[in-house]
Amino acid sequence: MRDAATGAEGGQAGATASDRAVEGSGVSDRADPEPSGRRWWTVAIFAYITLEGAGLQMRGAVIPALRRSFDVPEWQLGLVAPAGTVGYVLAVVLVGAVAGRLDTRGLLVVGFLGTGAGILVMGVAPSFGLFLAALLGRGLFTGVGRGTDRPLLSHLYPRKRGRVFGFYDMMWALGATAGPLLVAAAVAAGDWRLAYYALALAFVPVVALALALPTPAVEGGDDPLDWGELRRIARQPAVLTMAVALFLSTGVEGGLFTWVTTYAQGRLSETLATASLSVMLVAYIPGRFATGWLAERVGYVRLAAGLVGLTIPAFGYTFFLAEGAGLLVGLFCIGLGLSGMYPTLLAYATEAVPEHSAPVNAAAAVTSAAGIALVPAAMGVLIGDAGIRGAMQLLALPLALLAVVLSYALSRTVR
């Protein structure tokens, strides 16, 4: 599947490159030799990412219950986020490095089964230390699953990467929105562990489906990676643009995910302040549906540039002008804009080197994890001097840099 789509611009130019890939590989989304196999693998992957999104966003929602259940100090509770992230990033990188050498179906089954088992162990953990250990293990298996599932979708739908990636992330957003609600329902029922039991049970049919399905029917999947190919990938303008843009966009997302509820306190009622992050996350569902639908019609770089162009005024309104309920309106609009960045930019880079979709996926995971980790930490330092309002307003800087990066990429595409 070596079509080296140097333009990598979705829609017009990207579609031409993808057409060549389809003709050369024998994979067609119009005449799939095994359409039911592709359809059911898509169902399995979408179900998995929905459950994984729920599990990820349950981490923050369950922290107050963990504090009461295990009686641990704040600094230990702060280990919850990195414990899951470290294992995930490590596994995604390893999967990207060995892509093309291991069986895709086996990796997906291991990822699905291990993620569900890890969630079950988190629910039965008798101590906070074992809860963290289970979270680390779950992150490793999640990295195996997510390091394999999106690259497989890339090969199953070579002419619709942007659309499928957008819908994939929309399913994640559905799960992410439901996760905190599941924890709230479990706590209301008297035991936070019920949320983990229910989510682990939901993995059973997903694992069973993956076990029942045959090996995905794609020709010319990921090529084995060597140092020469790695250097070629790293020199691709589309991959470099994706890495820088994702670091900036996910850094803004991480800052908002971490601090927006704190910012809302004192500006909204307690109930609305608690719901502020959920308002932003809900916007990811229609936002990712829309970007998935628009990706091939508008073009990846053009769409990403348009999204940041919409996000900047929404951000300015929210953190420089808005008061009261206007803050929630602004957060919803920010969520609409930011939601489409990750799938659109990843599809853009994947179009450049579709024969190495797993390493590109790993690069996206690493740079986004770095942005999510570093920007909120820097904001935490700034809050002591500039206050929460000043720290939130400083997120305008990475947003402006993102606009510059995408404007430059768009100018290259137009030329």
Side-chain angles (χ1 to χ4, degrees), residues 372-384:
I372 287 174
L374 295 177
V375 172
M379 290 175 65
V381 174
L382 291 170
I383 286 172

Side-chain angles (χ1 to χ4, degrees), residues 41 45 95 98-112 144-145 147-153 155-156 210 214-218 221-222 358:
W41 272 113
I45 289 171
V95 169
V98 301
R101 293 183 171 89
L102 297 180
D103 176 57
T104 297
R105 178 179 176 276
L107 287 173
L108 287 172
V109 170
V110 167
F112 293 3
V144 173
T148 309
D149 60 3
R150 201 183 318 233
L152 174 59
L153 290 174
H155 297 306
L156 289 174
T215 298
V218 295
D222 264 34

Side-chain angles (χ1 to χ4, degrees), residues 57-120:
Q57 292 301 330
M58 281 167 58
R59 293 187 317 191
V62 81
I63 283 178
L66 295 178
R67 183 190 296 112
R68 292 190 299 269
S69 182
F70 297 123
D71 192 24
V72 292
E74 297 288 344
W75 71 267
Q76 290 187 22
L77 292 170
L79 297 175
V80 167
T85 303
V86 168
Y88 165 73
V89 172
L90 177 62
V92 168
V93 170
L94 291 175
V95 169
V98 301
R101 293 183 171 89
L102 297 180
D103 176 57
T104 297
R105 178 179 176 276
L107 287 173
L108 287 172
V109 170
V110 167
F112 293 3
L113 179 61
T115 303
I119 288 172
L120 178 61

Side-chain angles (χ1 to χ4, degrees), residues 275-289:
S276 58
L277 178 57
S278 296
V279 169
M280 181 178 163
L281 283 172
V282 165
Y284 276 52
I285 300 171
R288 283 177 166 168
F289 178 83

Side-chain angles (χ1 to χ4, degrees), residues 146 150 162-174 176 250 253 257 281-294 335-336 338-344:
R146 296 199 63 179
R150 201 183 318 233
R163 184 182 307 180
V164 173
F165 285 4
F167 294 163
Y168 170 97
D169 282 333
M170 180 189 71
M171 299 306 295
W172 178 90
L174 282 169
T250 57
E253 286 182 291
F257 290 164
L281 283 172
V282 165
Y284 276 52
I285 300 171
R288 283 177 166 168
F289 178 83
T291 53
W293 184 77
L294 290 170
L336 284 175
L338 288 177
S339 65
M341 286 293 177
Y342 193 103
T344 302

Side-chain angles (χ1 to χ4, degrees), residues 214-306:
T215 298
V218 295
E219 296 179 20
D222 264 34
D223 292 342
L225 187 66
D226 56 32
W227 285 111
E229 287 297 289
L230 184 60
R231 286 192 295 269
R232 185 175 73 85
I233 294 170
R235 289 195 297 265
Q236 289 288 332
V239 176
L240 293 172
T241 299
M242 178 202 72
V244 175
L246 281 184
F247 175 81
L248 294 169
S249 65
T250 57
V252 174
E253 286 182 291
L256 292 170
F257 290 164
T258 304
W259 296 110
V260 75
T261 303
T262 302
Y263 179 83
Q265 290 173 350
R267 294 174 170 83
L268 296 169
S269 67
E270 182 177 351
T271 300
L272 291 179
T274 302
S276 58
L277 178 57
S278 296
V279 169
M280 181 178 163
L281 283 172
V282 165
Y284 276 52
I285 300 171
R288 283 177 166 168
F289 178 83
T291 53
W293 184 77
L294 290 170
E296 279 81 27
R297 292 171 171 82
V298 175
Y300 299 136
V301 176
R302 191 174 291 109
L303 177 57

